[in-house]
Amino acid sequence: MIDDSARTQAYRHAILTNYPLFYGKTVLDVGCGTGILSVFCCLAGARRVYAVDASGAAKFARAVAAENGYSDRIRVLQCRAEEAELPEQVDVIVSEWMGHALLYESMLDSVLVARDRWLRPGGALFPERAVLKMALCTAPELALETGGAQFWRGVYDRYKVRMTCLAEVEERRRWSDLPARVCALLPEELHSHAATVCDLNLHTVRAEELRELRAPAVELQSFGRAQLTGLALWFDVHFPGGDELSTSPYVTETHWGQTVLPLEPVNVDQDSTVQCPMVMRPDPKHPRNWRFSVDLAVGDGDSRTIQWVMDGTG
Amino acid sequence: MIDDSARTQAYRHAILTNYPLFYGKTVLDVGCGTGILSVFCCLAGARRVYAVDASGAAKFARAVAAENGYSDRIRVLQCRAEEAELPEQVDVIVSEWMGHALLYESMLDSVLVARDRWLRPGGALFPERAVLKMALCTAPELALETGGAQFWRGVYDRYKVRMTCLAEVEERRRWSDLPARVCALLPEELHSHAATVCDLNLHTVRAEELRELRAPAVELQSFGRAQLTGLALWFDVHFPGGDELSTSPYVTETHWGQTVLPLEPVNVDQDSTVQCPMVMRPDPKHPRNWRFSVDLAVGDGDSRTIQWVMDGTG
């Protein structure tokens, strides 16, 4: 993840330019990994950083702290953030907790527990706000996949066996139950401005609210005539002082990419209104999987409910 | 898999050119999938094909049989091959059971049960022989991976945080416990002729013999001075009448590719002898994973034991 410059430089810039919030202060780094955010906090003058990670990366964080001369200021704790025992409240929590579509396999729950337990009143959060966006899109990869049907039609030419019956199956299957998937969209593949699906104030949001996120009034206007094949999701997070890290298709690509909820192709005219109120929640059976449900209505047409699962395979 | 022309055409050619073995005869197709091999058998004149598959593909096999006009000759059974109940012995068993490195997640066990139960004495097997080969190689992908260490050294230039300590970890880790992996090797990446690791007569091999395959005398001679970074494995299967399907790097690529067991780079001179007796067996804890153990000795050097696991992640 360190290789993701857009991500790492956004944190670096936000931390260093906010050095008054760090200088002489105490910091908790939730899910520190190899500890680069902790080192940024020391560079900004932090007196003490508690760097917490449950994985074996904790020992690398310790080595990195030492190599940078901060063994005395960075205290690495290998445990779950929920189980960390600190000797004091902290002035700042830094964490890179975001997942695809913001919340898929995200660590936000751990950050909220740490916030409620260890952040002193009035303390700062890096980031402090997270916004999930949605826009209409054409995902070219999806168009390519419909080649599956074409493939079956071509089997006769190759092997003299007819398999057109499978092309029909392929087409029926193709557009039902396609999983959400991570793509790198180009700006020209977007066909609307982005609407806000949710806007989380990380100082106040509660873990229970993340169990079901409802966006009842999402409405998108198509830029022009287009064939839509998906709804694109991405997020921005905001740091104190105005810095932000965006995963939008309009800025430098990050490892998060964008998340596309594939649609059976639908044609829209210029300025068509597309209503797409959405509900997001973890799958009750497989809580690591995330479920999206949208009541899609194009123009004056009736709405139909479409569901997707995000299971890491898309 | 039908998209793999080298594979599908090899079966097609072997079946059609052996039509005297099929004409008016009964066939069992083990793991029929969408049923293309069963149709080939009908094209070769089979009177009756029992097409067995435990997966939902069975219903597609039924549709494909109908589309090709063979509903009366192909009887599709959706069940495990071990549980199939046929009304008669068969004259031929066809099956495409091979996995990466021949036996990784292969269906050979099922074919052997079907053979012992349903193949009439003197019946034919397609394929009837399977040979696993090994050669010395340089796998360029692996060389690239050592860039990981270089990456950590470069972190300071990007973020002003020193992480060279992780480069050392990376290098130590890189060459221990690397999993076996599937590659597409180029002929020029091979540095020896291929030795035979095992040569299975599918008429006589017993499932117990597959629980541990020993190749005590594998010896390879390097073509020239080279830096070896792996042992390459691939297989050939042979059909009655002389047709074969090879997954060697010297012929058309198949979806099986080659399997590479990564080595910490070792330099060899021209005509160096590399002893690499091997033992292959399923992991006792995770039987789907396959373990390879080689006692590697270069020239007159001492041998050292290297182990790899093939777990589908490599």
Side-chain angles (χ1 to χ4, degrees):
Chain A
M1 303 296 180
I2 288 178
D3 195 29
D4 181 339
S5 272
R7 178 199 91 135
T8 308
Q9 294 289 16
Y11 274 86
R12 182 171 186 268
H13 192 265
I15 291 170
L16 294 184
T17 57
N18 278 294
Y19 64 90
L21 291 178
F22 290 90
Y23 193 84
K25 299 292 175 61
T26 55
V27 181
L28 170 57
D29 178 356
V30 178
C32 67
T34 53
I36 196 164
L37 299 188
S38 294
V39 175
F40 291 157
C41 296
C42 289
L43 289 168
R47 171 173 67 76
R48 165 73 75 201
V49 181
Y50 301 98
V52 177
D53 203 294
S55 82
K59 72 168 178 293
F60 301 138
R62 220 165 268 135
V64 167
E67 187 178 353
N68 289 277
Y70 294 130
S71 288
D72 56 333
R73 288 157 68 185
I74 297 175
R75 186 169 296 172
V76 178
L77 307 173
Q78 181 168 358
C79 62
R80 297 181 63 229
E82 289 84 343
E83 290 152 8
E85 288 299 330
L86 311 187
E88 58 186 329
Q89 297 282 95
V90 297
D91 300 300
V92 187
I93 289 179
V94 300
S95 183
E96 194 279 85
W97 52 263
M98 296 84 76
H100 295 293
L102 190 59
L103 293 173
Y104 176 66
E105 297 195 341
S106 97
M107 275 199 320
L108 181 53
D109 280 7
S110 302
V111 173
L112 299 186
V113 171
R115 174 198 69 186
D116 294 342
R117 199 155 167 220
W118 299 112
L119 188 65
R120 69 159 176 77
L125 285 165
F126 283 72
E128 62 180 3
R129 182 181 161 209
V131 182
L132 183 65
K133 302 284 189 73
M134 185 197 280
L136 305 173
C137 74
T138 304
E141 299 174 46
L142 299 175
L144 279 177
E145 279 185 14
T146 57
Q150 203 49 46
F151 168 77
W152 293 114
R153 288 196 194 92
V155 167
Y156 188 78
D157 295 331
R158 294 167 73 181
Y159 309 122
K160 308 306 166 205
V161 172
R162 296 182 204 284
M163 290 195 157
T164 58
C165 57
L166 297 187
E168 288 158 32
V169 172
E170 188 88 11
E171 275 161 354
R172 279 200 308 275
R173 180 169 56 185
R174 181 59 58 198
W175 299 110
S176 64
D177 283 330
L178 267 185
R181 67 188 58 200
V182 175
C183 299
L185 291 171
L186 300 169
E188 59 267 33
E189 289 162 355
L190 295 183
H191 295 300
S192 73
H193 288 298
T196 294
V197 177
C198 67
D199 187 338
L200 304 178
N201 178 336
L202 300 175
H203 282 285
T204 57
V205 70
R206 289 169 299 115
E208 308 84 81
E209 296 173 54
L210 307 176
R211 303 285 163 270
E212 180 175 279
L213 286 167
R214 288 187 169 270
V218 180
E219 183 177 300
L220 301 165
Q221 239 94 33
S222 63
F223 287 146
R225 265 175 193 274
Q227 187 182 54
L228 310 178
T229 61
L231 300 172
L233 296 170
W234 67 85
F235 64 88
D236 305 330
V237 297
H238 300 263
F239 299 97
D243 272 21
E244 73 167 46
L245 163 57
S246 172
T247 65
S248 128
Y250 294 106
V251 299
T252 309
E253 192 179 335
T254 70
H255 74 280
W256 286 285
Q258 290 83 42
T259 297
V260 172
L261 308 177
L263 288 178
E264 185 170 342
V266 50
N267 294 311
V268 293
D269 292 322
Q270 182 160 349
D271 300 325
S272 288
T273 298
V274 180
Q275 308 281 349
C276 33
M278 182 160 81
V279 181
M280 297 163 59
R281 60 167 79 94
D283 186 330
K285 278 194 204 144
H286 306 280
R288 285 166 59 93
N289 294 349
W290 202 254
R291 291 203 160 268
F292 303 87
S293 176
V294 168
D295 292 330
L296 189 83
V298 178
D300 298 331
D302 292 338
S303 77
R304 61 199 169 100
T305 302
I306 312 176
Q307 300 201 317
W308 299 266
V309 65
M310 186 161 194
D311 60 5
T313 65
Chain B
M1 303 296 178
I2 287 176
D3 195 29
D4 181 340
S5 272
R7 179 199 90 135
T8 308
Q9 294 289 17
Y11 274 86
R12 180 171 189 268
H13 192 263
I15 292 169
L16 295 184
T17 56
N18 278 292
Y19 63 90
L21 292 177
F22 290 90
Y23 193 85
K25 299 293 176 59
T26 55
V27 181
L28 169 57
D29 177 354
V30 178
C32 67
T34 51
I36 196 165
L37 300 189
S38 293
V39 175
F40 290 157
C41 295
C42 289
L43 289 168
R47 171 174 66 79
R48 164 75 74 202
V49 180
Y50 300 99
V52 176
D53 202 295
S55 82
K59 73 169 176 294
F60 302 137
R62 219 165 268 136
V64 167
E67 188 178 353
N68 288 276
Y70 295 131
S71 288
D72 57 333
R73 288 158 68 185
I74 297 175
R75 185 169 298 171
V76 178
L77 307 173
Q78 181 168 358
C79 62
R80 298 182 62 231
E82 290 83 343
E83 290 153 8
E85 289 297 331
L86 311 187
E88 59 186 326
Q89 297 282 93
V90 297
D91 300 299
V92 187
I93 290 179
V94 300
S95 183
E96 196 278 86
W97 51 264
M98 297 85 75
H100 294 294
L102 190 60
L103 293 174
Y104 176 67
E105 297 194 341
S106 97
M107 272 198 323
L108 181 53
D109 281 8
S110 301
V111 174
L112 299 186
V113 170
R115 174 199 69 187
D116 294 344
R117 198 154 168 222
W118 299 111
L119 187 64
R120 70 159 176 74
L125 285 165
F126 282 72
E128 61 179 3
R129 183 181 161 208
V131 182
L132 183 64
K133 302 283 187 75
M134 185 197 282
L136 305 173
C137 74
T138 303
E141 298 177 46
L142 299 174
L144 278 176
E145 279 187 14
T146 59
Q150 202 49 47
F151 168 76
W152 293 113
R153 288 198 194 90
V155 168
Y156 188 79
D157 296 332
R158 293 167 73 180
Y159 309 122
K160 308 306 166 202
V161 171
R162 295 183 205 283
M163 290 196 156
T164 56
C165 58
L166 297 188
E168 289 157 32
V169 172
E170 189 88 10
E171 276 161 353
R172 281 200 307 275
R173 180 170 55 186
R174 182 57 58 199
W175 300 110
S176 64
D177 285 329
L178 268 184
R181 68 188 57 200
V182 174
C183 299
L185 291 172
L186 301 170
E188 58 267 33
E189 289 162 355
L190 296 182
H191 295 301
S192 72
H193 288 298
T196 294
V197 177
C198 67
D199 188 337
L200 305 177
N201 178 336
L202 299 175
H203 282 285
T204 57
V205 71
R206 290 169 299 117
E208 306 85 81
E209 298 172 53
L210 306 176
R211 302 286 163 268
E212 180 176 277
L213 286 167
R214 289 187 168 268
V218 179
E219 183 178 300
L220 302 164
Q221 239 94 33
S222 64
F223 287 147
R225 266 175 192 272
Q227 186 181 54
L228 309 179
T229 62
L231 301 173
L233 297 169
W234 68 84
F235 65 86
D236 306 330
V237 297
H238 300 262
F239 298 97
D243 273 20
E244 73 167 45
L245 163 57
S246 172
T247 65
S248 130
Y250 294 106
V251 298
T252 309
E253 192 178 336
T254 70
H255 74 281
W256 286 287
Q258 291 83 42
T259 297
V260 172
L261 308 176
L263 289 178
E264 186 171 342
V266 51
N267 293 311
V268 293
D269 293 322
Q270 181 160 351
D271 300 327
S272 288
T273 298
V274 179
Q275 309 281 352
C276 34
M278 183 160 83
V279 181
M280 298 163 60
R281 59 167 81 92
D283 186 331
K285 278 196 205 142
H286 306 281
R288 284 166 60 92
N289 294 349
W290 202 251
R291 292 201 159 269
F292 302 88
S293 176
V294 168
D295 293 328
L296 189 82
V298 178
D300 298 331
D302 291 339
S303 77
R304 61 197 170 100
T305 302
I306 312 175
Q307 301 200 317
W308 299 265
V309 66
M310 185 161 197
D311 59 7
T313 65

